[in-house]
Amino acid sequence: MDLNFNKNEDHNKLLLSDLRQKFTKIKLGGGEKRIQKLHAEGKMTARERIDYLLDAKAESIEIGAFVGDGMYKEHGGCPSGGVVVKIGYIKGKQCIVVANDATVKAGAWFPITAKKNLRAQEIAMENKIPIIYLVDSAGVYLPMQDEIFPDKEHFGRIFRNNAIMSSMGITQISAIMGSCVAGGAYLPIMSDEAIIVDKTASIFLAGSYLVKAAIGETIDNETLGGATTHCEISGVTDYKAKDDKDALDKIKNIVDKIGDYEKAGFSRIKAEKPALDTNEIYGILPKARSEQYDMKEIILRLVDNSEFEAYKEGYGQTIITGYARIDGWAVGIVANQRKVIKTKKGEMQFGGVIYSDSADKATRFIANCNQKKIPLVFLQDVTGFMVGSKSEQGGIIKDGAKMVNAVSNSVVPKFTVVVGNSYGAGNYAMCGKAYDPRLIVAWPSAELAVMGGTQAAKVLAQIEASALKSKGETVDEAKESELFNKIKARYDEQVSPYYAASRLWTDAIIDPLETRNWISMGIEAANHAPIERPFNLGVIQV
């Protein structure tokens, strides 16, 4: 391997090491002391509960591990959004599990907590897979109630989704494993079946202090809403469990009896590992944003047997399209090409930029995949659409609109991997979060923004310098440099994959070598949901 390969490898492995260190810290939730306190109460942590519930040694993926990262500092932070979400297997059946983390503000709901819970429900509804709730929450975080209570995508939407999923026949099972109060009490009881842990769990619309204040009644929480009350008197809950493990065992037994599902019928054969070494991805992916690389070399290290059937290979070469298999599943791949391309006409096309011919090719390919019922995988490293008079006169807006139309109306499941840049309208055309990918993940090398940090900082620094000059202030070269560096530092923080992940613009930041597993589990989940409407592009300008 050449020196550049080794430099790239070292850089990408350092990014991966940073990812692992951050995740190790995130897994502690509210910290060691709060974990110890939970154990002293005879309770397991959210992660321990999920690990016990999911089949041992089976694959699982975590949604939104970095949600809340760097947010709510004035409130002490909210690691993982105060809730842990994983897709895995219970008795061999694929499920999504949502567990409140009681070490983070007693499991209270921050605004981002609601967004993450809604994302989990969205995944369950899109894929029609069972959803399990492990409830241990003090309810809405009151200092921020105005940002979580009344809007369409706030706390109340959770219960609306409970009702919708029930009507769709999607299994919902809840275990009340700690506090469950006020409006939050509806979530487990709107599930199909509810389990409550004796002595350590309770559920009520108002706790003993509020009852005393409201109606003058003196009563303890256990009598008010404990397991005996709700299993033997009110009939609100269906099963009493003696401890956390007993509750989780009951969930396993219930899931074990669920019948088979109608399948979408996506093609799958025996999986093959890539013939080329997947570890070489670290050396191929460049350290510098300005460097070129061949995206096809990445693709060949992600797909089964390193076999890729390119579609329109010689046309629209700044986007690669073609068929392959990932873990046995048939997929159609749409990927940005970062090499500078010389066309047959002798013109140069910049890598990572979408040109009219590339957009035209991608549109046709997406339509073909919908026709053949083949899931789509988007590999993003895009700086946007080509600009300038030649592109405008050539109809770049029209061709870009066609591609966006095809992505928007696609009925086969879509999966997005942000490999490098994800800028501007390129993010949209390559199936960014706004275009409903079933799963969207980023590699540690990813950047998401309207434009790159350097370009944005230059524009913003020029605007700020002009504003200062208009006020009569002197702006010399040193001042311009200071403005640029200050703005770029702020912008670089915002384009970080962690900034995006903390706000759930992506579902996860992953090791590139985990990509095959994420796509495979995603397609398996999607296979639970037969396609219910035909592919129709609507009105487009041909």
Side-chain angles (χ1 to χ4, degrees), residues 119-391:
R119 175 63 178 142
Q121 290 185 320
E122 179 183 43
I123 290 170
M125 287 190 283
E126 283 182 329
N127 298 292
K128 296 185 178 177
I129 59 172
I131 183 166
I132 315 297
Y133 307 101
L134 308 180
V135 184
D136 193 345
S137 171
V140 166
Y141 183 62
L142 292 178
M144 302 187 75
Q145 64 86 26
D146 62 318
E147 296 181 45
I148 188 174
F149 168 64
D151 211 343
K152 180 179 178 180
E153 295 190 351
H154 284 177
F155 191 66
R157 187 77 171 184
I158 304 288
F159 318 129
R160 175 264 187 193
N161 286 350
N162 287 141
I164 297 298
M165 281 190 280
S166 183
S167 72
M168 293 171 67
I170 297 170
T171 298
Q172 300 177 83
I173 302 168
S174 289
I176 303 156
M177 310 183 81
S179 180
C180 184
V181 300
Y186 288 108
L187 184 147
I189 308 311
M190 291 185 75
S191 300
D192 302 338
E193 296 180 85
I195 301 153
I196 185 168
V197 180
D198 196 20
K199 301 296 187 273
T200 58
S202 57
I203 178 170
F204 33 64
L205 294 181
S208 56
Y209 291 122
L210 185 54
V211 168
K212 177 70 173 176
I215 64 172
E217 182 183 4
T218 302
I219 190 169
D220 63 275
N221 282 339
E222 180 64 26
T223 305
L224 183 66
T228 298
T229 295
H230 286 309
C231 285
E232 299 176 20
I233 300 173
S234 72
V236 165
T237 53
D238 306 305
Y239 307 90
K240 183 196 285 188
K242 65 178 186 291
D243 55 26
D244 280 9
K245 287 187 176 180
D246 186 34
L248 298 169
D249 285 336
K250 290 182 187 301
I251 293 174
K252 292 181 185 182
N253 291 334
I254 295 168
V255 172
D256 187 43
K257 311 302 187 298
I258 297 174
D260 203 0
Y261 58 91
E262 184 183 355
K263 296 174 178 61
F266 303 122
S267 172
R268 192 181 198 186
I269 60 174
K270 182 183 176 183
E272 300 282 352
K273 291 182 179 179
L276 298 176
D277 185 0
T278 54
N279 286 286
E280 291 176 354
I281 289 173
Y282 302 126
I284 295 168
L285 197 62
K287 175 181 177 180
R289 296 272 155 196
S290 57
E291 289 180 21
Q292 299 179 52
Y293 70 97
D294 190 349
M295 178 64 88
K296 189 174 179 183
E297 293 300 321
I298 300 283
I299 293 170
L300 294 177
R301 286 159 179 81
L302 292 176
V303 301
D304 289 15
N305 210 30
S306 299
E307 293 176 348
F308 178 72
E309 186 67 39
Y311 171 82
K312 289 186 180 291
E313 188 171 17
Y315 176 72
Q317 294 179 63
T318 63
I319 286 183
I320 297 172
T321 52
Y323 304 103
R325 288 188 182 273
I326 292 179
D327 200 35
W329 294 103
V331 295
I333 294 176
V334 181
N336 302 113
Q337 177 59 288
R338 273 284 297 272
K339 290 198 306 181
V340 174
I341 304 296
K342 188 173 183 179
T343 69
K344 292 290 184 182
K345 297 178 181 178
E347 299 169 338
M348 304 302 291
Q349 291 190 347
F350 299 103
V353 179
I354 302 175
Y355 289 77
S356 285
D357 54 359
S358 303
D360 177 64
K361 176 173 80 171
T363 301
R364 178 64 182 267
F365 181 73
I366 291 166
N368 280 340
C369 287
N370 276 271
Q371 185 87 345
K372 298 179 179 72
K373 206 158 70 170
I374 300 172
L376 285 159
V377 175
F378 293 83
L379 302 178
Q380 288 193 5
D381 194 346
V382 59
T383 53
F385 285 88
M386 190 58 190
V387 296
S389 61
K390 186 173 182 180
S391 292

Side-chain angles (χ1 to χ4, degrees), residues 16-64:
L16 185 58
S17 176
D18 188 43
L19 171 66
R20 288 169 176 161
Q21 288 176 23
K22 286 177 180 287
F23 184 54
T24 298
K25 185 178 179 181
I26 287 289
K27 286 196 293 186
L28 292 175
E32 293 280 9
K33 287 185 178 179
R34 290 179 183 174
I35 291 173
Q36 290 169 8
K37 182 183 177 184
L38 214 60
H39 288 164
E41 295 171 356
K43 296 163 69 174
M44 303 164 75
T45 68
R47 292 185 180 278
E48 289 168 346
R49 287 165 175 168
I50 291 178
D51 288 345
Y52 183 83
L53 182 61
L54 297 180
D55 294 348
K57 298 181 181 179
E59 297 285 359
S60 66
I61 54 178
E62 181 169 349
I63 305 295

Side-chain angles (χ1 to χ4, degrees), residues 435-501:
Y435 291 80
D436 296 327
R438 296 294 176 98
L439 295 171
I440 177 170
V441 298
W443 289 359
S445 50
E447 287 189 359
L448 289 84
V450 171
M451 64 178 73
T454 301
Q455 298 93 320
K458 283 180 180 177
V459 172
L460 293 170
Q462 287 170 6
I463 293 170
E464 195 162 330
S466 296
L468 291 172
K469 288 175 183 176
S470 69
K471 294 176 183 176
E473 296 185 30
T474 301
V475 181
D476 56 16
E477 190 174 319
K479 182 65 175 178
E480 286 183 349
S481 179
E482 180 190 338
L483 285 172
F484 171 80
N485 290 329
K486 180 182 176 182
I487 293 168
K488 189 174 185 303
R490 185 177 72 240
Y491 203 89
D492 284 347
E493 179 187 352
Q494 294 177 355
V495 304
S496 159
Y498 296 97
Y499 191 90

